Short mmCIF file of all heavy atoms in Angstrom, two decimals:
data_model
loop_
_atom_site.label_atom_id
_atom_site.label_comp_id
_atom_site.label_asym_id
_atom_site.label_seq_id
_atom_site.Cartn_x
_atom_site.Cartn_y
_atom_site.Cartn_z
N GLU A 1 81.36 -34.15 163.95
CA GLU A 1 81.82 -34.64 162.66
C GLU A 1 80.76 -34.50 161.58
O GLU A 1 79.60 -34.76 161.80
CB GLU A 1 82.16 -36.17 162.74
CG GLU A 1 83.49 -36.46 163.24
CD GLU A 1 83.82 -37.94 163.17
OE1 GLU A 1 82.96 -38.74 163.57
OE2 GLU A 1 84.90 -38.26 162.76
N THR A 2 81.24 -34.11 160.41
CA THR A 2 80.34 -34.09 159.25
C THR A 2 80.26 -35.58 158.70
O THR A 2 81.09 -36.38 159.12
CB THR A 2 80.90 -33.23 158.12
OG1 THR A 2 82.11 -33.83 157.61
CG2 THR A 2 81.17 -31.82 158.58
N PRO A 3 79.29 -35.87 157.89
CA PRO A 3 79.26 -37.22 157.35
C PRO A 3 80.57 -37.58 156.58
O PRO A 3 81.02 -38.72 156.70
CB PRO A 3 78.06 -37.17 156.34
CG PRO A 3 77.20 -36.13 156.92
CD PRO A 3 78.10 -35.10 157.50
N HIS A 4 81.13 -36.66 155.88
CA HIS A 4 82.40 -36.92 155.18
C HIS A 4 83.55 -37.15 156.14
O HIS A 4 84.37 -38.04 155.90
CB HIS A 4 82.74 -35.76 154.22
CG HIS A 4 81.80 -35.71 153.07
ND1 HIS A 4 80.78 -34.78 152.98
CD2 HIS A 4 81.66 -36.47 151.97
CE1 HIS A 4 80.07 -35.00 151.90
NE2 HIS A 4 80.62 -36.00 151.26
N GLU A 5 83.63 -36.43 157.24
CA GLU A 5 84.71 -36.65 158.22
C GLU A 5 84.55 -38.02 158.84
O GLU A 5 85.52 -38.73 159.04
CB GLU A 5 84.71 -35.54 159.25
CG GLU A 5 85.12 -34.20 158.75
CD GLU A 5 84.83 -33.07 159.68
OE1 GLU A 5 83.95 -33.18 160.57
OE2 GLU A 5 85.51 -32.02 159.57
N PHE A 6 83.31 -38.35 159.20
CA PHE A 6 83.07 -39.67 159.78
C PHE A 6 83.44 -40.76 158.77
O PHE A 6 84.10 -41.73 159.13
CB PHE A 6 81.60 -39.80 160.15
CG PHE A 6 81.20 -41.19 160.49
CD1 PHE A 6 81.69 -41.80 161.68
CD2 PHE A 6 80.36 -41.95 159.67
CE1 PHE A 6 81.32 -43.10 161.99
CE2 PHE A 6 80.00 -43.22 159.97
CZ PHE A 6 80.47 -43.79 161.13
N GLY A 7 83.09 -40.55 157.54
CA GLY A 7 83.43 -41.54 156.46
C GLY A 7 84.93 -41.76 156.36
O GLY A 7 85.39 -42.90 156.17
N GLU A 8 85.69 -40.71 156.50
CA GLU A 8 87.17 -40.84 156.46
C GLU A 8 87.66 -41.71 157.58
O GLU A 8 88.51 -42.55 157.35
CB GLU A 8 87.82 -39.47 156.51
CG GLU A 8 87.66 -38.65 155.23
CD GLU A 8 88.29 -37.28 155.39
OE1 GLU A 8 89.29 -37.12 156.14
OE2 GLU A 8 87.83 -36.33 154.75
N ARG A 9 87.18 -41.49 158.75
CA ARG A 9 87.57 -42.33 159.91
C ARG A 9 87.18 -43.79 159.73
O ARG A 9 87.96 -44.68 160.00
CB ARG A 9 87.03 -41.78 161.23
CG ARG A 9 87.85 -40.73 161.83
CD ARG A 9 87.49 -40.44 163.30
NE ARG A 9 86.08 -40.44 163.63
CZ ARG A 9 85.48 -41.37 164.39
NH1 ARG A 9 86.19 -42.39 164.91
NH2 ARG A 9 84.21 -41.33 164.66
N LEU A 10 85.97 -44.02 159.26
CA LEU A 10 85.47 -45.35 159.08
C LEU A 10 86.22 -46.01 157.94
O LEU A 10 86.51 -47.25 157.99
CB LEU A 10 83.95 -45.38 158.85
CG LEU A 10 83.29 -46.73 158.76
CD1 LEU A 10 83.59 -47.59 159.97
CD2 LEU A 10 81.76 -46.54 158.61
N ARG A 11 86.54 -45.29 156.89
CA ARG A 11 87.30 -45.82 155.80
C ARG A 11 88.63 -46.40 156.27
O ARG A 11 89.08 -47.42 155.74
CB ARG A 11 87.52 -44.76 154.73
CG ARG A 11 88.00 -45.30 153.44
CD ARG A 11 88.22 -44.27 152.35
NE ARG A 11 87.17 -43.28 152.23
CZ ARG A 11 87.24 -41.98 152.55
NH1 ARG A 11 88.41 -41.46 152.99
NH2 ARG A 11 86.25 -41.16 152.36
N ALA A 12 89.24 -45.80 157.24
CA ALA A 12 90.49 -46.30 157.78
C ALA A 12 90.32 -47.70 158.40
O ALA A 12 91.25 -48.51 158.39
CB ALA A 12 91.10 -45.33 158.80
N GLN A 13 89.13 -47.97 158.95
CA GLN A 13 88.86 -49.27 159.52
C GLN A 13 88.39 -50.31 158.52
O GLN A 13 88.52 -51.47 158.73
CB GLN A 13 87.78 -49.10 160.60
CG GLN A 13 88.20 -48.24 161.79
CD GLN A 13 89.40 -48.81 162.55
OE1 GLN A 13 89.38 -50.00 162.88
NE2 GLN A 13 90.36 -48.02 162.84
N LEU A 14 87.79 -49.84 157.46
CA LEU A 14 87.23 -50.73 156.42
C LEU A 14 87.74 -50.34 155.01
O LEU A 14 86.95 -50.01 154.16
CB LEU A 14 85.69 -50.62 156.45
CG LEU A 14 85.00 -50.95 157.76
CD1 LEU A 14 83.54 -50.58 157.67
CD2 LEU A 14 85.19 -52.40 158.12
N PRO A 15 89.05 -50.40 154.84
CA PRO A 15 89.56 -49.97 153.52
C PRO A 15 88.99 -50.75 152.35
O PRO A 15 88.86 -50.23 151.25
CB PRO A 15 91.05 -50.12 153.68
CG PRO A 15 91.26 -51.09 154.80
CD PRO A 15 90.08 -50.89 155.72
N GLU A 16 88.63 -52.00 152.58
CA GLU A 16 88.09 -52.82 151.49
C GLU A 16 86.71 -52.37 151.05
O GLU A 16 86.25 -52.75 149.97
CB GLU A 16 88.05 -54.28 151.93
CG GLU A 16 87.00 -54.63 152.94
CD GLU A 16 87.33 -54.24 154.41
OE1 GLU A 16 88.42 -53.68 154.65
OE2 GLU A 16 86.51 -54.50 155.30
N ALA A 17 86.05 -51.55 151.87
CA ALA A 17 84.72 -51.02 151.52
C ALA A 17 84.69 -49.53 151.29
O ALA A 17 83.66 -48.91 151.36
CB ALA A 17 83.77 -51.41 152.64
N ALA A 18 85.86 -48.98 150.95
CA ALA A 18 85.97 -47.51 150.83
C ALA A 18 85.02 -46.99 149.74
O ALA A 18 84.39 -45.96 149.95
CB ALA A 18 87.41 -47.13 150.55
N GLY A 19 84.97 -47.66 148.63
CA GLY A 19 84.14 -47.17 147.54
C GLY A 19 82.67 -47.15 147.92
O GLY A 19 81.94 -46.16 147.67
N GLU A 20 82.16 -48.21 148.53
CA GLU A 20 80.75 -48.28 148.98
C GLU A 20 80.49 -47.25 150.07
O GLU A 20 79.47 -46.58 150.05
CB GLU A 20 80.41 -49.67 149.50
CG GLU A 20 80.32 -50.73 148.46
CD GLU A 20 81.69 -51.41 148.17
OE1 GLU A 20 82.71 -50.95 148.71
OE2 GLU A 20 81.70 -52.39 147.43
N LEU A 21 81.43 -47.08 150.97
CA LEU A 21 81.28 -46.08 152.01
C LEU A 21 81.18 -44.68 151.47
O LEU A 21 80.31 -43.88 151.85
CB LEU A 21 82.45 -46.19 153.03
CG LEU A 21 82.43 -45.26 154.21
CD1 LEU A 21 81.15 -45.39 155.01
CD2 LEU A 21 83.64 -45.51 155.09
N ASP A 22 82.06 -44.34 150.57
CA ASP A 22 82.04 -43.01 149.94
C ASP A 22 80.70 -42.80 149.17
O ASP A 22 80.10 -41.73 149.33
CB ASP A 22 83.19 -42.85 148.94
CG ASP A 22 84.52 -42.75 149.67
OD1 ASP A 22 84.57 -42.53 150.92
OD2 ASP A 22 85.56 -42.91 148.99
N ALA A 23 80.27 -43.82 148.43
CA ALA A 23 79.02 -43.67 147.68
C ALA A 23 77.82 -43.53 148.56
O ALA A 23 76.91 -42.75 148.33
CB ALA A 23 78.87 -44.87 146.75
N LEU A 24 77.74 -44.33 149.68
CA LEU A 24 76.63 -44.22 150.59
C LEU A 24 76.65 -42.88 151.31
O LEU A 24 75.60 -42.28 151.50
CB LEU A 24 76.63 -45.34 151.61
CG LEU A 24 75.37 -45.42 152.47
CD1 LEU A 24 74.14 -45.64 151.63
CD2 LEU A 24 75.52 -46.53 153.50
N THR A 25 77.82 -42.39 151.66
CA THR A 25 77.90 -41.05 152.28
C THR A 25 77.38 -40.00 151.33
O THR A 25 76.58 -39.13 151.77
CB THR A 25 79.37 -40.78 152.71
OG1 THR A 25 79.78 -41.76 153.66
CG2 THR A 25 79.48 -39.39 153.31
N GLU A 26 77.78 -40.06 150.09
CA GLU A 26 77.29 -39.08 149.11
C GLU A 26 75.77 -39.17 148.97
O GLU A 26 75.09 -38.15 148.85
CB GLU A 26 77.97 -39.28 147.77
CG GLU A 26 79.42 -38.83 147.76
CD GLU A 26 79.66 -37.41 148.19
OE1 GLU A 26 78.85 -36.50 147.83
OE2 GLU A 26 80.60 -37.14 148.91
N SER A 27 75.27 -40.39 148.91
CA SER A 27 73.77 -40.56 148.80
C SER A 27 73.08 -39.99 150.01
O SER A 27 72.04 -39.30 149.89
CB SER A 27 73.46 -42.07 148.70
OG SER A 27 73.87 -42.57 147.48
N TYR A 28 73.65 -40.21 151.19
CA TYR A 28 73.04 -39.64 152.42
C TYR A 28 73.03 -38.14 152.40
O TYR A 28 72.04 -37.48 152.66
CB TYR A 28 73.74 -40.19 153.68
CG TYR A 28 73.38 -39.40 154.89
CD1 TYR A 28 72.11 -39.54 155.47
CD2 TYR A 28 74.20 -38.42 155.43
CE1 TYR A 28 71.71 -38.81 156.57
CE2 TYR A 28 73.82 -37.70 156.52
CZ TYR A 28 72.58 -37.87 157.08
OH TYR A 28 72.18 -37.14 158.18
N VAL A 29 74.19 -37.55 152.05
CA VAL A 29 74.28 -36.10 152.03
C VAL A 29 73.29 -35.51 151.02
O VAL A 29 72.61 -34.53 151.33
CB VAL A 29 75.75 -35.66 151.72
CG1 VAL A 29 75.85 -34.18 151.39
CG2 VAL A 29 76.63 -35.99 152.89
N ALA A 30 73.21 -36.13 149.85
CA ALA A 30 72.26 -35.64 148.83
C ALA A 30 70.80 -35.74 149.35
O ALA A 30 70.01 -34.82 149.22
CB ALA A 30 72.42 -36.39 147.55
N ALA A 31 70.47 -36.86 149.95
CA ALA A 31 69.11 -37.07 150.45
C ALA A 31 68.79 -36.12 151.60
O ALA A 31 67.67 -35.61 151.71
CB ALA A 31 68.92 -38.52 150.92
N ALA A 32 69.78 -35.88 152.46
CA ALA A 32 69.54 -35.04 153.63
C ALA A 32 69.48 -33.54 153.31
O ALA A 32 68.74 -32.81 153.98
CB ALA A 32 70.60 -35.28 154.69
N TYR A 33 70.25 -33.11 152.34
CA TYR A 33 70.40 -31.67 152.13
C TYR A 33 69.92 -31.15 150.76
O TYR A 33 69.83 -29.95 150.59
CB TYR A 33 71.86 -31.29 152.33
CG TYR A 33 72.34 -31.62 153.73
CD1 TYR A 33 73.18 -32.70 153.94
CD2 TYR A 33 71.94 -30.86 154.79
CE1 TYR A 33 73.61 -33.00 155.22
CE2 TYR A 33 72.37 -31.15 156.08
CZ TYR A 33 73.17 -32.23 156.28
OH TYR A 33 73.59 -32.55 157.54
N ALA A 34 69.65 -32.05 149.82
CA ALA A 34 69.11 -31.57 148.53
C ALA A 34 67.61 -31.20 148.64
O ALA A 34 66.93 -31.81 149.46
CB ALA A 34 69.34 -32.67 147.48
N PRO A 35 67.20 -30.29 147.85
CA PRO A 35 65.80 -29.91 147.95
C PRO A 35 64.82 -30.98 147.42
O PRO A 35 63.71 -31.07 147.87
CB PRO A 35 65.72 -28.61 147.07
CG PRO A 35 66.91 -28.63 146.24
CD PRO A 35 67.96 -29.44 146.96
N ALA A 36 65.28 -31.79 146.50
CA ALA A 36 64.43 -32.81 145.92
C ALA A 36 64.53 -34.12 146.70
O ALA A 36 65.58 -34.45 147.24
CB ALA A 36 64.77 -33.05 144.45
N GLU A 37 63.43 -34.88 146.71
CA GLU A 37 63.46 -36.22 147.33
C GLU A 37 64.28 -37.15 146.47
O GLU A 37 64.31 -37.03 145.25
CB GLU A 37 62.05 -36.78 147.39
CG GLU A 37 61.14 -36.05 148.43
CD GLU A 37 61.59 -36.35 149.87
OE1 GLU A 37 61.85 -37.52 150.18
OE2 GLU A 37 61.64 -35.36 150.63
N PRO A 38 64.96 -38.13 147.10
CA PRO A 38 65.72 -39.10 146.28
C PRO A 38 64.77 -39.93 145.43
O PRO A 38 63.64 -40.21 145.85
CB PRO A 38 66.41 -39.96 147.32
CG PRO A 38 66.19 -39.35 148.64
CD PRO A 38 65.07 -38.32 148.50
N SER A 39 65.24 -40.34 144.28
CA SER A 39 64.42 -41.18 143.40
C SER A 39 64.40 -42.64 143.94
O SER A 39 65.22 -43.00 144.78
CB SER A 39 65.00 -41.15 142.00
OG SER A 39 66.27 -41.87 141.98
N ARG A 40 63.50 -43.43 143.40
CA ARG A 40 63.46 -44.85 143.80
C ARG A 40 64.76 -45.53 143.43
O ARG A 40 65.25 -46.37 144.18
CB ARG A 40 62.32 -45.54 143.10
CG ARG A 40 60.98 -45.18 143.69
CD ARG A 40 59.87 -45.97 143.06
NE ARG A 40 58.61 -45.48 143.62
CZ ARG A 40 57.51 -46.15 143.56
NH1 ARG A 40 57.48 -47.34 142.93
NH2 ARG A 40 56.40 -45.67 144.08
N GLU A 41 65.29 -45.19 142.29
CA GLU A 41 66.57 -45.75 141.87
C GLU A 41 67.69 -45.45 142.87
O GLU A 41 68.49 -46.29 143.21
CB GLU A 41 66.98 -45.29 140.44
CG GLU A 41 68.30 -45.84 139.96
CD GLU A 41 68.35 -47.39 139.94
OE1 GLU A 41 67.33 -48.04 139.68
OE2 GLU A 41 69.45 -47.88 140.23
N GLU A 42 67.74 -44.19 143.30
CA GLU A 42 68.74 -43.80 144.31
C GLU A 42 68.55 -44.57 145.59
O GLU A 42 69.52 -45.01 146.22
CB GLU A 42 68.66 -42.33 144.56
CG GLU A 42 69.17 -41.48 143.41
CD GLU A 42 68.81 -40.01 143.51
OE1 GLU A 42 67.78 -39.68 144.09
OE2 GLU A 42 69.58 -39.20 142.93
N GLY A 43 67.30 -44.82 146.01
CA GLY A 43 66.99 -45.60 147.18
C GLY A 43 67.47 -47.06 147.03
O GLY A 43 68.07 -47.61 147.93
N ARG A 44 67.24 -47.64 145.83
CA ARG A 44 67.70 -49.02 145.62
C ARG A 44 69.21 -49.09 145.63
O ARG A 44 69.78 -50.02 146.21
CB ARG A 44 67.18 -49.52 144.27
CG ARG A 44 65.73 -49.99 144.29
CD ARG A 44 65.36 -50.69 142.99
NE ARG A 44 65.30 -49.78 141.83
CZ ARG A 44 64.26 -49.08 141.47
NH1 ARG A 44 63.12 -49.14 142.18
NH2 ARG A 44 64.29 -48.29 140.45
N ARG A 45 69.84 -48.08 145.05
CA ARG A 45 71.28 -48.06 145.04
C ARG A 45 71.83 -47.98 146.47
O ARG A 45 72.77 -48.68 146.85
CB ARG A 45 71.79 -46.88 144.20
CG ARG A 45 73.28 -46.80 144.12
CD ARG A 45 73.68 -45.69 143.13
NE ARG A 45 75.13 -45.55 143.11
CZ ARG A 45 75.86 -44.70 143.82
NH1 ARG A 45 75.21 -43.81 144.58
NH2 ARG A 45 77.12 -44.65 143.71
N ALA A 46 71.26 -47.13 147.27
CA ALA A 46 71.71 -46.96 148.67
C ALA A 46 71.49 -48.27 149.45
O ALA A 46 72.37 -48.65 150.19
CB ALA A 46 70.95 -45.82 149.35
N ARG A 47 70.41 -48.94 149.22
CA ARG A 47 70.14 -50.24 149.92
C ARG A 47 71.21 -51.28 149.51
O ARG A 47 71.67 -52.04 150.35
CB ARG A 47 68.76 -50.71 149.71
CG ARG A 47 67.71 -49.94 150.51
CD ARG A 47 66.35 -50.56 150.39
NE ARG A 47 65.77 -50.50 149.09
CZ ARG A 47 65.17 -49.43 148.57
NH1 ARG A 47 65.03 -48.35 149.29
NH2 ARG A 47 64.67 -49.45 147.35
#
């Protein structure tokens, strides 16, 4: 599973947290695959 595919499955179990789940998945993908390091603000947002 990709992070997005996993997120879709987890979203089905936690529909009330879908927005947070999508946002954290996007943060993870950006941190894992983007050439630049995440900013401190992005880290605070993810936490």
Side-chain angles (χ1 to χ4, degrees):
E1 276 184 315
T2 68
H4 290 104
E5 291 168 338
F6 170 69
E8 287 178 31
R9 274 194 321 111
L10 186 53
R11 193 180 313 113
Q13 297 297 313
L14 303 171
E16 71 282 0
E20 290 88 351
L21 181 57
D22 291 345
L24 187 61
T25 299
E26 288 304 320
S27 291
Y28 167 73
V29 169
Y33 299 105
E37 290 289 316
S39 69
R40 286 184 184 199
E41 179 57 35
E42 290 166 330
R44 281 190 291 273
R45 181 172 178 265
R47 284 188 294 279

